[in-house]
Amino acid sequence: QVQLHESGGDSVQSGGSLRLSCSASGDTSRDSCIVWFRQRPGKEREGVAGIDADGTTAYATSVKGRFAISRDSGKNIVFLQLNGLLPDDTAVYSCASGKRRFCHPGYYSGGLFNPVWAEFYYWGQGTQVTVSS
């Protein structure tokens, strides 16, 4: 059993930064690709960043260069640094864990990072990020 808990969401102005945290418990969480998803109002849930147990990262095109994912394996926490936030980044951000140890190639489609949310077994409750213009 894996339990995930997100924190760090807040309301910020456009151009601002936030750091989200995903605290994981359960032995298998250390060995799997952890993915941050977001669900923007009126849009489908999308994976924005993932990180392997060995620290290899993956990003959706929409956030590459602005968001950075990292992992503190000792504390079993995955961070998502959000920089240059835009109103379009307003969403509920959730972390998730599935059966795959590596983000690549399993969570890729057509050469792009595109995880399918239905493949993930464990989810946190989500944290709200609101960006105002």
PDB file of all heavy atoms in Angstrom, residues 3-44:
ATOM      1  N   GLN A   3       0.843   5.472   0.170  1.00  0.00           N
ATOM      2  CA  GLN A   3       0.060   6.665   0.489  1.00  0.00           C
ATOM      3  C   GLN A   3       0.836   7.894   0.058  1.00  0.00           C
ATOM      4  O   GLN A   3       2.044   7.992   0.298  1.00  0.00           O
ATOM      5  CB  GLN A   3      -0.254   6.717   1.980  1.00  0.00           C
ATOM      6  CG  GLN A   3      -1.208   5.614   2.429  1.00  0.00           C
ATOM      7  CD  GLN A   3      -1.609   5.738   3.887  1.00  0.00           C
ATOM      8  OE1 GLN A   3      -0.833   6.211   4.713  1.00  0.00           O
ATOM      9  NE2 GLN A   3      -2.821   5.319   4.205  1.00  0.00           N
ATOM     10  N   LEU A   4       0.137   8.829  -0.564  1.00  0.00           N
ATOM     11  CA  LEU A   4       0.745  10.045  -1.071  1.00  0.00           C
ATOM     12  C   LEU A   4       0.004  11.242  -0.506  1.00  0.00           C
ATOM     13  O   LEU A   4      -1.224  11.234  -0.402  1.00  0.00           O
ATOM     14  CB  LEU A   4       0.674  10.069  -2.599  1.00  0.00           C
ATOM     15  CG  LEU A   4       1.325   8.888  -3.330  1.00  0.00           C
ATOM     16  CD1 LEU A   4       0.985   8.924  -4.809  1.00  0.00           C
ATOM     17  CD2 LEU A   4       2.823   8.891  -3.125  1.00  0.00           C
ATOM     18  N   HIS A   5       0.769  12.273  -0.178  1.00  0.00           N
ATOM     19  CA  HIS A   5       0.162  13.480   0.386  1.00  0.00           C
ATOM     20  C   HIS A   5       0.862  14.705  -0.188  1.00  0.00           C
ATOM     21  O   HIS A   5       2.077  14.859  -0.035  1.00  0.00           O
ATOM     22  CB  HIS A   5       0.269  13.480   1.911  1.00  0.00           C
ATOM     23  CG  HIS A   5      -0.281  14.716   2.532  1.00  0.00           C
ATOM     24  ND1 HIS A   5      -1.627  14.964   2.647  1.00  0.00           N
ATOM     25  CD2 HIS A   5       0.341  15.796   3.064  1.00  0.00           C
ATOM     26  CE1 HIS A   5      -1.820  16.140   3.218  1.00  0.00           C
ATOM     27  NE2 HIS A   5      -0.637  16.663   3.485  1.00  0.00           N
ATOM     28  N   GLU A   6       0.094  15.575  -0.850  1.00  0.00           N
ATOM     29  CA  GLU A   6       0.658  16.774  -1.459  1.00  0.00           C
ATOM     30  C   GLU A   6       0.481  17.981  -0.536  1.00  0.00           C
ATOM     31  O   GLU A   6      -0.463  18.043   0.259  1.00  0.00           O
ATOM     32  CB  GLU A   6      -0.015  17.103  -2.791  1.00  0.00           C
ATOM     33  CG  GLU A   6       0.000  15.987  -3.814  1.00  0.00           C
ATOM     34  CD  GLU A   6      -1.244  15.137  -3.755  1.00  0.00           C
ATOM     35  OE1 GLU A   6      -1.910  15.115  -2.700  1.00  0.00           O
ATOM     36  OE2 GLU A   6      -1.560  14.489  -4.773  1.00  0.00           O
ATOM     37  N   SER A   7       1.379  18.928  -0.704  1.00  0.00           N
ATOM     38  CA  SER A   7       1.263  20.213   0.004  1.00  0.00           C
ATOM     39  C   SER A   7       1.980  21.273  -0.804  1.00  0.00           C
ATOM     40  O   SER A   7       2.722  20.958  -1.740  1.00  0.00           O
ATOM     41  CB  SER A   7       1.854  20.113   1.411  1.00  0.00           C
ATOM     42  OG  SER A   7       3.227  19.787   1.348  1.00  0.00           O
ATOM     43  N   GLY A   8       1.750  22.528  -0.461  1.00  0.00           N
ATOM     44  CA  GLY A   8       2.467  23.626  -1.085  1.00  0.00           C
ATOM     45  C   GLY A   8       1.654  24.471  -2.033  1.00  0.00           C
ATOM     46  O   GLY A   8       2.132  25.511  -2.498  1.00  0.00           O
ATOM     47  N   GLY A   9       0.429  24.060  -2.334  1.00  0.00           N
ATOM     48  CA  GLY A   9      -0.395  24.866  -3.218  1.00  0.00           C
ATOM     49  C   GLY A   9      -0.758  26.201  -2.591  1.00  0.00           C
ATOM     50  O   GLY A   9      -0.868  26.319  -1.377  1.00  0.00           O
ATOM     51  N   ASP A  10      -0.946  27.205  -3.451  1.00  0.00           N
ATOM     52  CA  ASP A  10      -1.250  28.540  -2.948  1.00  0.00           C
ATOM     53  C   ASP A  10      -1.776  29.391  -4.098  1.00  0.00           C
ATOM     54  O   ASP A  10      -1.858  28.929  -5.246  1.00  0.00           O
ATOM     55  CB  ASP A  10       0.008  29.171  -2.342  1.00  0.00           C
ATOM     56  CG  ASP A  10      -0.291  30.218  -1.292  1.00  0.00           C
ATOM     57  OD1 ASP A  10      -1.458  30.705  -1.245  1.00  0.00           O
ATOM     58  OD2 ASP A  10       0.631  30.577  -0.542  1.00  0.00           O
ATOM     59  N   SER A  11      -2.121  30.624  -3.766  1.00  0.00           N
ATOM     60  CA  SER A  11      -2.512  31.603  -4.776  1.00  0.00           C
ATOM     61  C   SER A  11      -1.355  32.558  -4.990  1.00  0.00           C
ATOM     62  O   SER A  11      -0.832  33.136  -4.026  1.00  0.00           O
ATOM     63  CB  SER A  11      -3.752  32.383  -4.313  1.00  0.00           C
ATOM     64  OG  SER A  11      -4.859  31.526  -4.174  1.00  0.00           O
ATOM     65  N   VAL A  12      -0.944  32.742  -6.252  1.00  0.00           N
ATOM     66  CA  VAL A  12       0.176  33.615  -6.576  1.00  0.00           C
ATOM     67  C   VAL A  12      -0.178  34.444  -7.800  1.00  0.00           C
ATOM     68  O   VAL A  12      -1.124  34.127  -8.529  1.00  0.00           O
ATOM     69  CB  VAL A  12       1.465  32.822  -6.858  1.00  0.00           C
ATOM     70  CG1 VAL A  12       1.920  32.062  -5.629  1.00  0.00           C
ATOM     71  CG2 VAL A  12       1.293  31.890  -8.045  1.00  0.00           C
ATOM     72  N   GLN A  13       0.616  35.468  -8.028  1.00  0.00           N
ATOM     73  CA  GLN A  13       0.423  36.276  -9.218  1.00  0.00           C
ATOM     74  C   GLN A  13       1.235  35.709 -10.382  1.00  0.00           C
ATOM     75  O   GLN A  13       2.212  34.964 -10.178  1.00  0.00           O
ATOM     76  CB  GLN A  13       0.839  37.719  -8.947  1.00  0.00           C
ATOM     77  CG  GLN A  13      -0.099  38.430  -7.987  1.00  0.00           C
ATOM     78  CD  GLN A  13       0.165  39.922  -7.928  1.00  0.00           C
ATOM     79  OE1 GLN A  13       1.305  40.356  -8.068  1.00  0.00           O
ATOM     80  NE2 GLN A  13      -0.878  40.699  -7.700  1.00  0.00           N
ATOM     81  N   SER A  14       0.819  36.076 -11.569  1.00  0.00           N
ATOM     82  CA  SER A  14       1.509  35.624 -12.777  1.00  0.00           C
ATOM     83  C   SER A  14       3.004  35.961 -12.689  1.00  0.00           C
ATOM     84  O   SER A  14       3.377  37.058 -12.265  1.00  0.00           O
ATOM     85  CB  SER A  14       0.887  36.308 -13.991  1.00  0.00           C
ATOM     86  OG  SER A  14       1.468  35.851 -15.180  1.00  0.00           O
ATOM     87  N   GLY A  15       3.840  35.000 -13.051  1.00  0.00           N
ATOM     88  CA  GLY A  15       5.280  35.166 -12.952  1.00  0.00           C
ATOM     89  C   GLY A  15       5.874  34.650 -11.659  1.00  0.00           C
ATOM     90  O   GLY A  15       7.097  34.554 -11.524  1.00  0.00           O
ATOM     91  N   GLY A  16       5.014  34.304 -10.714  1.00  0.00           N
ATOM     92  CA  GLY A  16       5.464  33.829  -9.416  1.00  0.00           C
ATOM     93  C   GLY A  16       5.922  32.388  -9.434  1.00  0.00           C
ATOM     94  O   GLY A  16       5.885  31.706 -10.471  1.00  0.00           O
ATOM     95  N   SER A  17       6.366  31.926  -8.269  1.00  0.00           N
ATOM     96  CA  SER A  17       6.890  30.566  -8.117  1.00  0.00           C
ATOM     97  C   SER A  17       6.266  29.895  -6.907  1.00  0.00           C
ATOM     98  O   SER A  17       5.860  30.555  -5.947  1.00  0.00           O
ATOM     99  CB  SER A  17       8.414  30.605  -7.931  1.00  0.00           C
ATOM    100  OG  SER A  17       9.051  31.147  -9.065  1.00  0.00           O
ATOM    101  N   LEU A  18       6.217  28.582  -6.974  1.00  0.00           N
ATOM    102  CA  LEU A  18       5.771  27.756  -5.863  1.00  0.00           C
ATOM    103  C   LEU A  18       6.566  26.471  -5.867  1.00  0.00           C
ATOM    104  O   LEU A  18       7.059  26.052  -6.924  1.00  0.00           O
ATOM    105  CB  LEU A  18       4.289  27.397  -5.986  1.00  0.00           C
ATOM    106  CG  LEU A  18       3.241  28.462  -5.682  1.00  0.00           C
ATOM    107  CD1 LEU A  18       1.856  27.940  -6.026  1.00  0.00           C
ATOM    108  CD2 LEU A  18       3.299  28.889  -4.227  1.00  0.00           C
ATOM    109  N   ARG A  19       6.671  25.837  -4.704  1.00  0.00           N
ATOM    110  CA  ARG A  19       7.249  24.503  -4.634  1.00  0.00           C
ATOM    111  C   ARG A  19       6.223  23.573  -3.988  1.00  0.00           C
ATOM    112  O   ARG A  19       5.826  23.787  -2.835  1.00  0.00           O
ATOM    113  CB  ARG A  19       8.562  24.464  -3.852  1.00  0.00           C
ATOM    114  CG  ARG A  19       9.252  23.105  -3.979  1.00  0.00           C
ATOM    115  CD  ARG A  19      10.609  23.057  -3.340  1.00  0.00           C
ATOM    116  NE  ARG A  19      10.557  22.839  -1.909  1.00  0.00           N
ATOM    117  CZ  ARG A  19      11.548  22.321  -1.181  1.00  0.00           C
ATOM    118  NH1 ARG A  19      12.675  21.965  -1.800  1.00  0.00           N
ATOM    119  NH2 ARG A  19      11.429  22.167   0.124  1.00  0.00           N
ATOM    120  N   LEU A  20       5.842  22.578  -4.743  1.00  0.00           N
ATOM    121  CA  LEU A  20       4.911  21.578  -4.245  1.00  0.00           C
ATOM    122  C   LEU A  20       5.689  20.377  -3.726  1.00  0.00           C
ATOM    123  O   LEU A  20       6.750  20.034  -4.260  1.00  0.00           O
ATOM    124  CB  LEU A  20       3.961  21.125  -5.360  1.00  0.00           C
ATOM    125  CG  LEU A  20       3.216  22.228  -6.121  1.00  0.00           C
ATOM    126  CD1 LEU A  20       2.276  21.607  -7.149  1.00  0.00           C
ATOM    127  CD2 LEU A  20       2.483  23.150  -5.177  1.00  0.00           C
ATOM    128  N   SER A  21       5.140  19.733  -2.704  1.00  0.00           N
ATOM    129  CA  SER A  21       5.768  18.545  -2.131  1.00  0.00           C
ATOM    130  C   SER A  21       4.796  17.379  -2.176  1.00  0.00           C
ATOM    131  O   SER A  21       3.590  17.550  -1.971  1.00  0.00           O
ATOM    132  CB  SER A  21       6.167  18.795  -0.676  1.00  0.00           C
ATOM    133  OG  SER A  21       7.099  19.838  -0.574  1.00  0.00           O
ATOM    134  N   CYS A  22       5.338  16.200  -2.420  1.00  0.00           N
ATOM    135  CA  CYS A  22       4.562  14.963  -2.412  1.00  0.00           C
ATOM    136  C   CYS A  22       5.277  13.997  -1.474  1.00  0.00           C
ATOM    137  O   CYS A  22       6.345  13.475  -1.810  1.00  0.00           O
ATOM    138  CB  CYS A  22       4.479  14.380  -3.817  1.00  0.00           C
ATOM    139  SG  CYS A  22       3.775  12.713  -3.905  1.00  0.00           S
ATOM    140  N   SER A  23       4.696  13.799  -0.305  1.00  0.00           N
ATOM    141  CA  SER A  23       5.282  12.878   0.667  1.00  0.00           C
ATOM    142  C   SER A  23       4.709  11.495   0.443  1.00  0.00           C
ATOM    143  O   SER A  23       3.481  11.323   0.386  1.00  0.00           O
ATOM    144  CB  SER A  23       4.966  13.350   2.087  1.00  0.00           C
ATOM    145  OG  SER A  23       5.519  14.616   2.327  1.00  0.00           O
ATOM    146  N   ALA A  24       5.600  10.521   0.299  1.00  0.00           N
ATOM    147  CA  ALA A  24       5.170   9.156  -0.007  1.00  0.00           C
ATOM    148  C   ALA A  24       5.520   8.215   1.126  1.00  0.00           C
ATOM    149  O   ALA A  24       6.551   8.361   1.784  1.00  0.00           O
ATOM    150  CB  ALA A  24       5.821   8.691  -1.304  1.00  0.00           C
ATOM    151  N   SER A  25       4.655   7.260   1.365  1.00  0.00           N
ATOM    152  CA  SER A  25       4.941   6.199   2.325  1.00  0.00           C
ATOM    153  C   SER A  25       4.628   4.866   1.677  1.00  0.00           C
ATOM    154  O   SER A  25       3.783   4.788   0.788  1.00  0.00           O
ATOM    155  CB  SER A  25       4.114   6.379   3.601  1.00  0.00           C
ATOM    156  OG  SER A  25       2.736   6.287   3.312  1.00  0.00           O
ATOM    157  N   GLY A  26       5.308   3.814   2.139  1.00  0.00           N
ATOM    158  CA  GLY A  26       5.139   2.514   1.501  1.00  0.00           C
ATOM    159  C   GLY A  26       6.387   2.176   0.722  1.00  0.00           C
ATOM    160  O   GLY A  26       6.912   3.013  -0.006  1.00  0.00           O
ATOM    161  N   ASP A  27       6.868   0.962   0.873  1.00  0.00           N
ATOM    162  CA  ASP A  27       8.151   0.585   0.297  1.00  0.00           C
ATOM    163  C   ASP A  27       8.198   0.741  -1.216  1.00  0.00           C
ATOM    164  O   ASP A  27       9.207   1.179  -1.767  1.00  0.00           O
ATOM    165  CB  ASP A  27       8.486  -0.868   0.667  1.00  0.00           C
ATOM    166  CG  ASP A  27       8.816  -0.999   2.145  1.00  0.00           C
ATOM    167  OD1 ASP A  27       9.129   0.035   2.761  1.00  0.00           O
ATOM    168  OD2 ASP A  27       8.761  -2.120   2.666  1.00  0.00           O
ATOM    169  N   THR A  28       7.146   0.377  -1.918  1.00  0.00           N
ATOM    170  CA  THR A  28       7.191   0.388  -3.378  1.00  0.00           C
ATOM    171  C   THR A  28       7.250   1.803  -3.938  1.00  0.00           C
ATOM    172  O   THR A  28       7.648   2.002  -5.080  1.00  0.00           O
ATOM    173  CB  THR A  28       5.985  -0.332  -3.981  1.00  0.00           C
ATOM    174  OG1 THR A  28       4.780   0.283  -3.481  1.00  0.00           O
ATOM    175  CG2 THR A  28       5.991  -1.795  -3.599  1.00  0.00           C
ATOM    176  N   SER A  29       6.880   2.815  -3.146  1.00  0.00           N
ATOM    177  CA  SER A  29       6.897   4.175  -3.660  1.00  0.00           C
ATOM    178  C   SER A  29       8.314   4.619  -3.981  1.00  0.00           C
ATOM    179  O   SER A  29       8.534   5.464  -4.833  1.00  0.00           O
ATOM    180  CB  SER A  29       6.255   5.118  -2.649  1.00  0.00           C
ATOM    181  OG  SER A  29       7.031   5.195  -1.469  1.00  0.00           O
ATOM    182  N   ARG A  30       9.319   4.044  -3.288  1.00  0.00           N
ATOM    183  CA  ARG A  30      10.704   4.436  -3.543  1.00  0.00           C
ATOM    184  C   ARG A  30      11.206   3.883  -4.874  1.00  0.00           C
ATOM    185  O   ARG A  30      12.206   4.373  -5.397  1.00  0.00           O
ATOM    186  CB  ARG A  30      11.596   3.915  -2.423  1.00  0.00           C
ATOM    187  CG  ARG A  30      11.272   4.501  -1.054  1.00  0.00           C
ATOM    188  CD  ARG A  30      12.206   3.935   0.003  1.00  0.00           C
ATOM    189  NE  ARG A  30      11.871   4.431   1.325  1.00  0.00           N
ATOM    190  CZ  ARG A  30      12.320   5.582   1.827  1.00  0.00           C
ATOM    191  NH1 ARG A  30      13.107   6.349   1.096  1.00  0.00           N
ATOM    192  NH2 ARG A  30      11.967   5.958   3.037  1.00  0.00           N
ATOM    193  N   ASP A  31      10.568   2.870  -5.401  1.00  0.00           N
ATOM    194  CA  ASP A  31      11.056   2.187  -6.590  1.00  0.00           C
ATOM    195  C   ASP A  31      10.242   2.476  -7.838  1.00  0.00           C
ATOM    196  O   ASP A  31      10.463   1.833  -8.868  1.00  0.00           O
ATOM    197  CB  ASP A  31      11.055   0.677  -6.352  1.00  0.00           C
ATOM    198  CG  ASP A  31      11.972   0.277  -5.217  1.00  0.00           C
ATOM    199  OD1 ASP A  31      13.015   0.944  -5.055  1.00  0.00           O
ATOM    200  OD2 ASP A  31      11.655  -0.684  -4.509  1.00  0.00           O
ATOM    201  N   SER A  32       9.340   3.400  -7.777  1.00  0.00           N
ATOM    202  CA  SER A  32       8.477   3.643  -8.924  1.00  0.00           C
ATOM    203  C   SER A  32       8.658   5.048  -9.464  1.00  0.00           C
ATOM    204  O   SER A  32       9.169   5.938  -8.786  1.00  0.00           O
ATOM    205  CB  SER A  32       7.011   3.425  -8.538  1.00  0.00           C
ATOM    206  OG  SER A  32       6.598   4.374  -7.600  1.00  0.00           O
ATOM    207  N   CYS A  33       8.237   5.217 -10.707  1.00  0.00           N
ATOM    208  CA  CYS A  33       8.169   6.548 -11.310  1.00  0.00           C
ATOM    209  C   CYS A  33       7.006   7.296 -10.675  1.00  0.00           C
ATOM    210  O   CYS A  33       5.868   6.859 -10.767  1.00  0.00           O
ATOM    211  CB  CYS A  33       7.978   6.428 -12.819  1.00  0.00           C
ATOM    212  SG  CYS A  33       7.553   7.984 -13.638  1.00  0.00           S
ATOM    213  N   ILE A  34       7.295   8.398 -10.030  1.00  0.00           N
ATOM    214  CA  ILE A  34       6.260   9.259  -9.454  1.00  0.00           C
ATOM    215  C   ILE A  34       5.958  10.370 -10.446  1.00  0.00           C
ATOM    216  O   ILE A  34       6.879  11.009 -10.980  1.00  0.00           O
ATOM    217  CB  ILE A  34       6.710   9.867  -8.123  1.00  0.00           C
ATOM    218  CG1 ILE A  34       7.054   8.776  -7.110  1.00  0.00           C
ATOM    219  CG2 ILE A  34       5.628  10.803  -7.566  1.00  0.00           C
ATOM    220  CD1 ILE A  34       5.868   7.980  -6.615  1.00  0.00           C
ATOM    221  N   VAL A  35       4.690  10.603 -10.693  1.00  0.00           N
ATOM    222  CA  VAL A  35       4.280  11.612 -11.676  1.00  0.00           C
ATOM    223  C   VAL A  35       3.406  12.662 -11.014  1.00  0.00           C
ATOM    224  O   VAL A  35       2.515  12.324 -10.213  1.00  0.00           O
ATOM    225  CB  VAL A  35       3.516  10.955 -12.845  1.00  0.00           C
ATOM    226  CG1 VAL A  35       2.955  12.016 -13.793  1.00  0.00           C
ATOM    227  CG2 VAL A  35       4.425  10.010 -13.610  1.00  0.00           C
ATOM    228  N   TRP A  36       3.655  13.907 -11.357  1.00  0.00           N
ATOM    229  CA  TRP A  36       2.755  14.996 -10.984  1.00  0.00           C
ATOM    230  C   TRP A  36       1.767  15.200 -12.132  1.00  0.00           C
ATOM    231  O   TRP A  36       2.174  15.397 -13.278  1.00  0.00           O
ATOM    232  CB  TRP A  36       3.519  16.290 -10.746  1.00  0.00           C
ATOM    233  CG  TRP A  36       4.156  16.393  -9.414  1.00  0.00           C
ATOM    234  CD1 TRP A  36       5.449  16.117  -9.079  1.00  0.00           C
ATOM    235  CD2 TRP A  36       3.530  16.850  -8.200  1.00  0.00           C
ATOM    236  NE1 TRP A  36       5.663  16.356  -7.744  1.00  0.00           N
ATOM    237  CE2 TRP A  36       4.492  16.804  -7.176  1.00  0.00           C
ATOM    238  CE3 TRP A  36       2.247  17.279  -7.883  1.00  0.00           C
ATOM    239  CZ2 TRP A  36       4.229  17.182  -5.862  1.00  0.00           C
ATOM    240  CZ3 TRP A  36       1.972  17.652  -6.580  1.00  0.00           C
ATOM    241  CH2 TRP A  36       2.960  17.603  -5.578  1.00  0.00           C
ATOM    242  N   PHE A  37       0.491  15.142 -11.800  1.00  0.00           N
ATOM    243  CA  PHE A  37      -0.579  15.454 -12.733  1.00  0.00           C
ATOM    244  C   PHE A  37      -1.196  16.791 -12.332  1.00  0.00           C
ATOM    245  O   PHE A  37      -1.080  17.225 -11.193  1.00  0.00           O
ATOM    246  CB  PHE A  37      -1.675  14.379 -12.689  1.00  0.00           C
ATOM    247  CG  PHE A  37      -1.327  13.106 -13.378  1.00  0.00           C
ATOM    248  CD1 PHE A  37      -0.593  12.128 -12.716  1.00  0.00           C
ATOM    249  CD2 PHE A  37      -1.744  12.871 -14.671  1.00  0.00           C
ATOM    250  CE1 PHE A  37      -0.283  10.930 -13.349  1.00  0.00           C
ATOM    251  CE2 PHE A  37      -1.442  11.679 -15.310  1.00  0.00           C
ATOM    252  CZ  PHE A  37      -0.712  10.711 -14.646  1.00  0.00           C
ATOM    253  N   ARG A  38      -1.914  17.391 -13.265  1.00  0.00           N
ATOM    254  CA  ARG A  38      -2.733  18.543 -12.929  1.00  0.00           C
ATOM    255  C   ARG A  38      -4.043  18.461 -13.687  1.00  0.00           C
ATOM    256  O   ARG A  38      -4.111  17.884 -14.766  1.00  0.00           O
ATOM    257  CB  ARG A  38      -2.029  19.864 -13.252  1.00  0.00           C
ATOM    258  CG  ARG A  38      -1.852  20.153 -14.739  1.00  0.00           C
ATOM    259  CD  ARG A  38      -1.132  21.479 -14.916  1.00  0.00           C
ATOM    260  NE  ARG A  38      -0.928  21.798 -16.323  1.00  0.00           N
ATOM    261  CZ  ARG A  38      -0.240  22.857 -16.752  1.00  0.00           C
ATOM    262  NH1 ARG A  38       0.306  23.693 -15.872  1.00  0.00           N
ATOM    263  NH2 ARG A  38      -0.101  23.084 -18.048  1.00  0.00           N
ATOM    264  N   GLN A  39      -5.065  19.040 -13.074  1.00  0.00           N
ATOM    265  CA  GLN A  39      -6.354  19.142 -13.750  1.00  0.00           C
ATOM    266  C   GLN A  39      -6.789  20.587 -13.743  1.00  0.00           C
ATOM    267  O   GLN A  39      -7.117  21.141 -12.663  1.00  0.00           O
ATOM    268  CB  GLN A  39      -7.408  18.257 -13.103  1.00  0.00           C
ATOM    269  CG  GLN A  39      -8.714  18.257 -13.887  1.00  0.00           C
ATOM    270  CD  GLN A  39      -9.469  16.960 -13.769  1.00  0.00           C
ATOM    271  OE1 GLN A  39      -9.329  16.219 -12.804  1.00  0.00           O
ATOM    272  NE2 GLN A  39     -10.302  16.682 -14.757  1.00  0.00           N
ATOM    273  N   ARG A  40      -6.737  21.206 -14.898  1.00  0.00           N
ATOM    274  CA  ARG A  40      -7.151  22.587 -15.046  1.00  0.00           C
ATOM    275  C   ARG A  40      -8.655  22.638 -15.236  1.00  0.00           C
ATOM    276  O   ARG A  40      -9.260  21.682 -15.717  1.00  0.00           O
ATOM    277  CB  ARG A  40      -6.417  23.227 -16.230  1.00  0.00           C
ATOM    278  CG  ARG A  40      -4.918  23.318 -16.014  1.00  0.00           C
ATOM    279  CD  ARG A  40      -4.211  23.940 -17.205  1.00  0.00           C
ATOM    280  NE  ARG A  40      -4.058  22.998 -18.294  1.00  0.00           N
ATOM    281  CZ  ARG A  40      -3.441  23.274 -19.433  1.00  0.00           C
ATOM    282  NH1 ARG A  40      -2.934  24.489 -19.629  1.00  0.00           N
ATOM    283  NH2 ARG A  40      -3.330  22.363 -20.368  1.00  0.00           N
ATOM    284  N   PRO A  41      -9.293  23.745 -14.862  1.00  0.00           N
ATOM    285  CA  PRO A  41     -10.747  23.858 -14.989  1.00  0.00           C
ATOM    286  C   PRO A  41     -11.212  23.582 -16.419  1.00  0.00           C
ATOM    287  O   PRO A  41     -10.708  24.188 -17.374  1.00  0.00           O
ATOM    288  CB  PRO A  41     -11.022  25.309 -14.591  1.00  0.00           C
ATOM    289  CG  PRO A  41      -9.885  25.666 -13.705  1.00  0.00           C
ATOM    290  CD  PRO A  41      -8.697  24.938 -14.251  1.00  0.00           C
ATOM    291  N   GLY A  42     -12.120  22.652 -16.565  1.00  0.00           N
ATOM    292  CA  GLY A  42     -12.695  22.341 -17.867  1.00  0.00           C
ATOM    293  C   GLY A  42     -11.808  21.534 -18.790  1.00  0.00           C
ATOM    294  O   GLY A  42     -12.160  21.329 -19.954  1.00  0.00           O
ATOM    295  N   LYS A  43     -10.656  21.071 -18.292  1.00  0.00           N
ATOM    296  CA  LYS A  43      -9.738  20.314 -19.144  1.00  0.00           C
ATOM    297  C   LYS A  43      -9.453  18.945 -18.538  1.00  0.00           C
ATOM    298  O   LYS A  43      -9.684  18.706 -17.356  1.00  0.00           O
ATOM    299  CB  LYS A  43      -8.437  21.097 -19.344  1.00  0.00           C
ATOM    300  CG  LYS A  43      -8.640  22.414 -20.067  1.00  0.00           C
ATOM    301  CD  LYS A  43      -7.331  23.083 -20.403  1.00  0.00           C
ATOM    302  CE  LYS A  43      -7.566  24.383 -21.166  1.00  0.00           C
ATOM    303  NZ  LYS A  43      -6.285  25.060 -21.525  1.00  0.00           N
ATOM    304  N   GLU A  44      -8.922  18.066 -19.362  1.00  0.00           N
ATOM    305  CA  GLU A  44      -8.600  16.723 -18.897  1.00  0.00           C
ATOM    306  C   GLU A  44      -7.354  16.741 -18.017  1.00  0.00           C
ATOM    307  O   GLU A  44      -6.490  17.610 -18.142  1.00  0.00           O
ATOM    308  CB  GLU A  44      -8.371  15.788 -20.084  1.00  0.00           C
ATOM    309  CG  GLU A  44      -9.629  15.511 -20.891  1.00  0.00           C
ATOM    310  CD  GLU A  44      -9.409  14.433 -21.935  1.00  0.00           C
ATOM    311  OE1 GLU A  44      -8.305  13.876 -21.996  1.00  0.00           O
ATOM    312  OE2 GLU A  44     -10.358  14.148 -22.680  1.00  0.00           O
TER     313      GLU A  44
END
